[in-house]
Amino acid sequence: MLKETRTFAQTISEAYMYVYYFTTLSLLPSGLTMLRAFSHTNGRCVFHHAKRWRHRKSVLAIRREDVNAWERRAPLAPKHVKELTQMGYKVLVQPSNRRAFREKDYVKAGGIIQEDISEASLIIGVKRPPEDKLIPKKSYAFFSHTIKAQEANMPLLDEILRQEIRLFDYEKMVDQKGMRVVAFGKWAGVAGMINILHGLGLRLLALGHHTPFVHIGMAHNYRNSSQAVQAVRDAGYEIALGLMPQSIGPLTFVFTGTGNVSKGAQEVFSALPCEFVEPHELKEVSESGDLRRVYGTVLSRHHHLVRKRDGLYDPVDYDKHPELYTSRFNTDIAPYTTCLINGIYWEQQTPRLLSRQDVQRLLVPVRSSVGGTEGCPQLPHKLIAICDISADTGGSIEFMKECTTIDSPFYMYDADQHITHDSVEGSGILMCSIDNLPAQLPIEATEYFGDMLFPYIEEMLLSEGSEPLESQRFSPVVRDAVIASNGSLTAKYEYIQKLRESREQDKSLKMGNKKRVLLLGSGYVSGPVLEYLTRDSDIDITVASVMKEQLEQLMKKYSNVTAVHMDVIKQEEKLSSLVKKHNLVISLLPYSAHPLIAKKCIANKVNLVTASYLTPAMKELQESVEAAGITVVSEMGLDPGLDHMLAMECIDKAKEVGATVVSYTSFCGGLPAPEHSDNPLRYKFSWSPQGVLLNTVQSATYLKNGEIVNIPAGGALLDSVTPMDFFPGLNLEGFPNRDSTKYAEPYGIQTAHTLLRGTLRYKGYSKTMGGFVKLGLINPDPYPLLSSATPPLTWKELMCKLVGIKSPAEHHILKEAVFSKLEKDKSQLEAVEWLGLLGAEPVPAADSIVGALAKHMEMKLPFGAGERDMIVMRNEIGLRHPSGHLEDKFIDLVVYGDNKGYSAMAKTVGYPTAIAAKMVLDGEITAKGMVIPLTKNVYGPILERVRAEGIMYTTRSVIKQ
């Protein structure tokens, strides 16, 4: 018995509640017999009191968010976990140092920190889990982003169906009116508004105006929203004092939608000295408003949507037939808008707010009563910024083709050229479209979301994912959020499969009129290739790569690109099937893969373009290529590629005036910019590390003063290094590259007494690489001990084997043995130590020692944020004219990488490759068989077009008597 005094009223009240719940017991989820009574906590309904389960105690797991580095939210806060544990439930929490709420907070609330969550019947998260971490026949709840058959998430949905998982999608937890009851919406609005005020400050500064907005930071720079709002309030104080530049005119902010997203953004905006006006008043205040305040308007459907046939708006009719309506936003609202905050949900049939053509018309100079001067300019146009909080690519803002990220929150959209660039400078509109905004304010967002989710957790938790869905008696809110169960889509979401099939059919129809390109590889060089080819809307591109994360990034960035996750070398049948469906294949894979790819192209009569050398293995396929009637273009990158083209342009011009070539030397190197060459190798990687390493042990042949010079393979190349002083400030060295003599005939320069092609590096590179050769680290032979199937070795253990001492060895003993192997060269030993090759770090799994070293160097010597690379090429061509006098031609190509764009290597390899591919597709290159860029009809257009991409070169002459 309860040892407490009870009033008669309390007893009657409790008895009434028990009777009430016994009569409604049939409404409870299957498998549960319990008594539950309501209590009110913070205005919401939660369950408590005695419970008993027919089978076993249910367990909830909160999974670790591991898809995005910024994802610090959780679906439930510690306070929610505490209520669940007090109700008798067991709550597992996967450990995570990234989560905003600390593990100790969950432990204090009664949660159990545990990696293994297989015991749980319900596993909840915020974002999608990786496919390989799904547990069969469990119930999962998260934002799946599958309800529109989003292509990027279809592999996840397929895996959920295959593993018979029950999927609850928060996005589809809605009330009787269709309004979402579980969402982060408000905090997306709050964070989005803070971000765009920060971005507006940067953009206005780039346009020549210091404003109070420049002191507002990104949302995640504040501990909480209160601090952020205070920064906004401080900026507002300065605005109220009249500190906004006069020449920019009044600022107007338009909020679309009336839901939580819009309300959250408006809360932040209200911290400024603001005045809300009706949409029809926007024109007047945008022209003559008070500069000591900012103006806002909230846009509902009736303000801009009209039926096409009669110009009227009928809300009931619109809900049934949105395709019959159009938006007047572009004419009635946008011309008077400084900043658009878009928070509306968009579906396929609904009208868009803005198209590219709309923005082209909007990017016209502002007419203002306040004149501008050079130092105090007017705004170039009224619409300055768009914050698309909906983050719906290609949706209501048609030209918003890619979401931005918390790391890179802004880009400029140039409607005239239909291009974007990662900057706040230049022409166009500032775009911000981060798709995980609430993650910037994770603690408040988690508590807000958890409050909304908590009332539904119990019935989700008490369902068994392995039991038939029909046996579960869910409330309508939960039932309608089940996307998949027991290996099938639920009836309400069967349309997803139809959408997928329809999309595939549409693709097939479109492909009939489009040119189809298969790009193999998604690494360093793929960016410029895709950027160039996707400018043509009649080209559809499929990218096949083993790099899953890179593919996902490409899918977000390009709408007409399809990603295929595969190992091209190991999945030959799949490769054949892909090749067959395309008009052209571009391979950015290592040259060793090209014979296999070429054979697939021959079998399916598909053209091929590569940036790599035309190797002997490729030349053996010449007859087969010609018999198939296809074009195989090779050596279309930088070196080989642009070096050929620049040489042939000069040689052909010389021959036109009767001159003969007496010497030809060409040196080229991809290097870090001088300020970033601060390591023992004086080198960082912007392309295949293994290719760079293997080049140092290749054989080489060249012609010097009429004599053939042969350098054997195995490292002797590094003893043939020559200082290169044509750019003295760069302190360069060079060494021969492969067989230079073979170009005498293709170049048509058999008269040359010197013919040398070489590689450029900073002084000291070759000596350091020589040390690696001495130690046996540049060894491409198979080395089974480094296989992923064997226990991992440390670098220390591997080095012991290479220098022939027993492992484990004392550090000083190993160091002395290595030093001896390096012939007492201190600088080579320093490089080995700098790279950690004497330490306990695991050696990456690889087929060979050089493969492992390449992976290690890729981790140790990458280009860091803000660092750039550099391409240096020097061609020197000696000519003898009919008059007998001599002329030296010097052709210099120097290209720097962009801090936030493409590397110099990516540009100088990617753009020529893409241009050549486009020429094949467009019929500009028609020759069948093996083609390299040595004829004017090929190199001429490519050199002209690479100049248009900013790849510039200079030519000068020195005449000798």
Side-chain angles (χ1 to χ4, degrees):
M1 282 186 71
L2 294 174
K3 296 181 180 180
E4 59 178 290
T5 303
R6 311 182 62 82
T7 66
F8 177 77
Q10 286 175 321
T11 305
I12 292 297
S13 175
E14 187 172 283
Y16 172 80
M17 290 168 67
Y18 284 176
V19 169
Y20 175 80
Y21 283 105
F22 273 120
T23 61
T24 59
L25 195 61
S26 61
L27 298 178
L28 299 180
S30 174
L32 168 67
T33 303
M34 60 180 284
L35 303 176
R36 55 186 182 180
F38 289 99
S39 70
H40 291 277
T41 306
N42 295 331
R44 71 181 187 286
C45 196
V46 298
F47 304 111
H48 65 89
H49 269 274
K51 307 168 182 66
R52 24 178 225 283
W53 294 267
R54 287 181 188 166
H55 306 299
R56 63 180 178 81
K57 188 177 182 181
S58 296
V59 180
L60 171 71
I62 299 175
R63 64 173 302 275
R64 175 174 52 249
E65 301 297 326
D66 45 15
V67 171
N68 184 288
W70 282 98
E71 192 49 79
R72 298 173 291 158
R73 293 173 289 176
L76 295 177
K79 67 176 184 178
H80 306 116
V81 170
K82 183 177 182 179
E83 292 195 47
L84 285 168
T85 56
Q86 287 178 344
M87 293 160 62
Y89 294 106
K90 184 176 181 180
V91 180
L92 306 178
V93 182
Q94 273 194 322
S96 173
N97 285 344
R98 183 182 291 149
R99 196 182 286 121
F101 281 107
R102 301 303 178 190
E103 291 178 3
K104 65 179 183 180
D105 298 325
Y106 284 103
V107 171
K108 189 176 180 180
I112 300 169
I113 306 301
Q114 184 172 305
E115 182 65 33
D116 181 7
I117 55 173
S118 58
E119 180 187 357
S121 56
L122 174 66
I123 300 169
I124 63 174
V126 177
K127 294 291 189 178
R128 52 162 288 171
E131 288 98 305
D132 60 357
K133 293 187 178 179
L134 292 170
I135 304 174
K137 297 188 177 182
K138 297 290 185 182
S139 293
Y140 278 81
F142 55 88
F143 287 105
S144 73
H145 300 295
T146 58
I147 60 173
K148 296 182 185 178
Q150 290 96 318
E151 201 160 358
N153 293 321
M154 290 302 96
L156 171 69
L157 183 58
D158 289 339
E159 195 62 21
I160 285 170
L161 294 171
R162 189 184 73 78
Q163 297 197 32
E164 299 184 19
I165 286 168
R166 178 169 296 151
L167 170 61
F168 300 96
D169 194 321
Y170 304 134
E171 192 170 357
K172 297 308 292 181
M173 296 181 74
V174 298
D175 61 18
Q176 292 178 339
K177 296 180 180 179
M179 301 297 291
R180 288 173 61 183
V181 297
V182 178
F184 285 102
K186 173 188 173 181
W187 294 100
V190 170
M193 191 67 212
I194 295 165
N195 293 341
I196 199 60
L197 290 176
H198 167 71
L200 200 59
L202 297 178
R203 177 58 179 157
L204 290 172
L205 189 63
L207 292 172
H209 308 283
H210 171 79
T211 67
F213 298 125
V214 82
H215 300 299
I216 299 173
M218 290 287 288
H220 61 267
N221 289 335
Y222 301 99
R223 291 184 180 276
N224 52 50
S225 62
S226 297
Q227 284 191 356
V229 169
Q230 184 57 52
V232 175
R233 192 173 288 116
D234 291 343
Y237 179 69
E238 293 186 18
I239 293 171
L241 291 176
L243 299 183
M244 289 291 287
Q246 299 290 308
S247 60
I248 67 174
L251 299 184
T252 54
F253 294 76
V254 173
F255 301 86
T256 60
T258 56
N260 288 330
V261 169
S262 182
K263 288 174 182 174
Q266 291 171 52
E267 276 186 30
V268 176
F269 180 72
S270 295
L272 297 170
C274 62
E275 178 182 343
F276 280 92
V277 298
E278 289 298 314
H280 68 269
E281 299 174 306
L282 203 60
K283 182 177 186 295
E284 180 183 350
V285 298
S286 73
E287 295 172 352
S288 57
D290 187 346
L291 294 181
R292 291 170 299 179
R293 64 180 61 195
V294 292
Y295 295 89
T297 192
V298 181
L299 202 67
S300 297
R301 289 176 176 178
H302 68 275
H303 290 126
H304 67 106
L305 293 176
V306 294
R307 198 159 38 213
K308 295 173 185 177
R309 62 180 171 82
D310 58 12
L312 300 176
Y313 174 71
D314 181 336
V316 176
D317 183 54
Y318 176 78
D319 286 338
K320 292 179 180 178
H321 303 290
E323 72 280 1
L324 301 179
Y325 286 73
T326 188
S327 172
R328 285 183 178 166
F329 179 82
N330 61 333
T331 56
D332 295 359
I333 308 295
Y336 317 111
T337 303
T338 306
C339 180
L340 168 63
I341 297 91
N342 182 41
I344 57 174
Y345 180 79
W346 184 82
E347 291 184 332
Q348 192 66 41
Q349 301 297 320
T350 56
R352 287 188 167 93
L353 286 176
L354 286 175
S355 68
R356 175 193 174 189
Q357 291 73 25
D358 294 333
V359 175
Q360 284 178 315
R361 290 189 290 268
L362 290 168
L363 298 186
V364 295
V366 178
R367 293 181 181 179
S368 173
S369 57
V370 181
T373 64
E374 183 176 354
C376 305
Q378 292 181 288
L379 295 179
H381 38 78
K382 186 65 180 178
L383 184 58
I384 297 298
I386 296 176
C387 182
D388 191 357
I389 300 176
S390 72
D392 203 346
T393 54
S396 54
I397 309 296
E398 182 186 30
F399 49 86
M400 199 285 281
K401 296 295 186 184
E402 59 176 306
C403 291
T404 58
T405 65
I406 297 173
D407 294 300
S408 301
F410 308 110
Y411 65 82
M412 294 297 298
Y413 172 68
D414 186 335
D416 289 329
Q417 300 184 57
H418 194 44
I419 60 172
T420 64
H421 51 97
D422 295 331
S423 174
V424 295
E425 300 181 356
S427 58
I429 295 174
L430 182 77
M431 301 291 297
C432 180
S433 54
I434 299 169
D435 62 0
N436 59 337
L437 284 165
Q440 293 183 272
L441 297 166
I443 290 179
E444 291 158 296
T446 294
E447 290 188 331
Y448 176 85
F449 185 84
D451 286 348
M452 302 178 81
L453 176 62
F454 189 83
Y456 306 100
I457 279 289
E458 191 174 29
E459 58 177 299
M460 295 162 68
L461 175 59
L462 294 174
S463 75
E464 283 292 336
S466 58
E467 293 181 359
L469 182 63
E470 297 75 22
S471 67
Q472 311 298 301
R473 308 184 96 170
F474 292 129
S475 66
V477 170
V478 174
R479 181 194 63 225
D480 291 347
V482 181
I483 306 290
S485 184
N486 309 104
S488 302
L489 293 170
T490 57
K492 187 174 181 179
Y493 298 99
E494 287 175 351
Y495 73 86
I496 293 176
Q497 183 59 32
K498 294 176 182 177
L499 272 180
R500 295 177 72 176
E501 292 169 358
S502 174
R503 183 169 60 211
E504 289 302 316
Q505 188 176 4
D506 288 345
K507 275 189 179 180
S508 298
L509 292 173
K510 288 178 182 176
M511 292 288 262
N513 301 318
K514 289 194 173 189
K515 297 162 185 173
R516 291 160 291 175
V517 174
L518 173 62
L519 177 64
L520 303 178
S522 59
Y524 294 117
V525 177
S526 63
V529 174
L530 287 169
E531 190 276 323
Y532 188 87
L533 292 177
T534 53
R535 296 175 195 173
D536 187 340
S537 59
D538 288 330
I539 296 178
D540 272 333
I541 303 173
T542 301
V543 183
S545 172
V546 74
M547 306 300 289
K548 190 173 183 180
E549 289 185 7
Q550 291 177 351
L551 286 173
E552 289 173 353
Q553 291 300 316
L554 293 175
M555 286 290 291
K556 290 180 181 179
K557 190 168 186 178
Y558 300 103
S559 59
N560 54 339
V561 168
T562 301
V564 177
H565 183 227
M566 65 175 287
D567 188 318
V568 170
I569 305 303
K570 294 180 180 178
Q571 296 175 272
E572 287 194 40
E573 287 187 14
K574 190 170 183 179
L575 174 62
S576 294
S577 176
L578 277 175
V579 169
K580 188 184 300 184
K581 298 174 183 176
H582 294 82
N583 305 109
L584 174 76
V585 175
I586 301 172
S587 178
L588 301 178
L589 298 176
Y591 69 86
S592 57
H594 291 156
L596 168 66
I597 295 162
K599 289 173 184 176
K600 303 299 182 186
C601 290
I602 291 166
N604 294 287
K605 297 187 176 181
V606 174
N607 297 321
L608 171 66
V609 174
T610 84
S612 300
Y613 280 104
L614 183 59
T615 59
M618 288 290 284
K619 285 182 179 178
E620 288 177 5
L621 302 173
Q622 171 80 25
E623 289 185 10
S624 299
V625 169
E626 291 176 354
I630 65 172
T631 302
V632 175
V633 184
S634 301
E635 305 193 7
M636 272 296 175
L638 167 67
D639 175 7
L642 289 176
D643 55 347
H644 293 329
M645 301 182 220
L646 293 174
M648 290 310 302
E649 182 181 52
C650 179
I651 291 167
D652 284 346
K653 286 180 179 178
K655 289 181 177 180
E656 288 174 7
V657 297
T660 58
V661 176
V662 296
S663 66
Y664 170 76
T665 61
S666 175
F667 279 85
C668 179
L671 305 162
E675 66 271 25
H676 304 308
S677 59
D678 52 345
N679 64 69
L681 272 179
R682 285 83 164 163
Y683 194 80
K684 292 185 178 180
F685 291 100
S686 61
W687 71 292
S688 168
Q690 188 161 333
V692 174
L693 296 175
L694 288 174
N695 279 351
T696 62
V697 293
Q698 298 279 1
S699 61
T701 302
Y702 61 94
L703 180 68
K704 185 173 183 180
N705 297 326
E707 293 187 6
I708 298 290
V709 179
N710 289 304
I711 301 174
L717 192 66
L718 299 173
D719 298 325
S720 304
V721 176
T722 306
M724 294 285 162
D725 60 357
F726 50 84
F727 292 132
L730 292 180
N731 199 21
L732 299 171
E733 62 183 27
F735 50 86
N737 185 12
R738 303 185 185 235
D739 184 0
S740 301
T741 61
K742 68 180 183 180
Y743 289 99
E745 185 176 341
Y747 280 16
I749 55 172
Q750 293 91 334
T751 53
H753 58 70
T754 295
L755 181 52
L756 171 61
R757 289 161 47 85
T759 300
L760 289 174
R761 294 287 184 263
Y762 288 121
K763 187 177 179 181
Y765 170 89
S766 300
K767 186 177 182 181
T768 301
M769 290 300 299
F772 298 150
V773 173
K774 291 175 189 176
L775 292 170
L777 289 167
I778 316 297
N779 186 348
D781 296 336
Y783 198 79
L785 288 177
L786 296 181
S787 165
S788 58
T790 61
L793 286 177
T794 65
W795 279 109
K796 182 178 180 179
E797 291 168 336
L798 178 60
M799 292 300 292
C800 285
K801 293 180 184 295
L802 293 179
V803 299
I805 64 174
K806 189 175 180 180
S807 178
E810 295 291 333
H811 179 78
H812 70 276
I813 294 174
L814 174 60
K815 182 175 177 180
E816 186 59 36
V818 169
F819 191 40
S820 178
K821 191 88 171 177
L822 294 174
E823 300 169 357
K824 305 295 183 178
D825 190 304
K826 290 184 179 179
S827 64
Q828 291 179 341
L829 179 63
E830 286 173 3
V832 169
E833 289 188 296
W834 188 90
L835 283 167
L837 302 183
L838 303 183
E841 190 173 341
V843 181
D847 296 329
S848 63
I849 294 175
V850 71
L853 182 63
K855 291 180 180 179
H856 183 71
M857 284 191 167
E858 189 169 19
M859 292 185 289
K860 292 288 185 180
L861 297 171
F863 281 89
E867 294 185 346
R868 56 182 185 158
D869 69 333
M870 175 177 67
I871 295 297
V872 179
M873 182 189 292
R874 159 61 71 93
N875 284 354
E876 297 183 10
I877 303 175
L879 305 174
R880 184 182 299 278
H881 287 271
S883 61
H885 73 270
L886 300 175
E887 178 184 8
D888 286 338
K889 288 277 191 182
F890 301 97
I891 307 166
D892 293 323
L893 172 70
V894 179
V895 179
Y896 284 89
D898 303 322
N899 284 339
K900 294 187 178 180
Y902 300 127
S903 69
M905 183 65 74
K907 289 190 286 188
T908 53
V909 174
Y911 282 124
T913 301
I915 292 166
K918 187 78 161 57
M919 290 174 69
V920 173
L921 288 171
D922 293 345
E924 290 184 80
I925 297 176
T926 57
K928 303 305 177 186
M930 299 292 189
V931 175
I932 57 176
L934 302 180
T935 56
K936 190 173 183 178
N937 66 314
V938 176
Y939 71 68
I942 294 177
L943 288 177
E944 180 183 349
R945 292 168 198 177
V946 296
R947 284 195 294 269
E949 302 302 328
I951 300 173
M952 311 299 291
Y953 56 92
T954 60
T955 304
R956 64 185 178 89
S957 295
V958 175
I959 305 296
K960 300 177 181 178
Q961 296 301 323

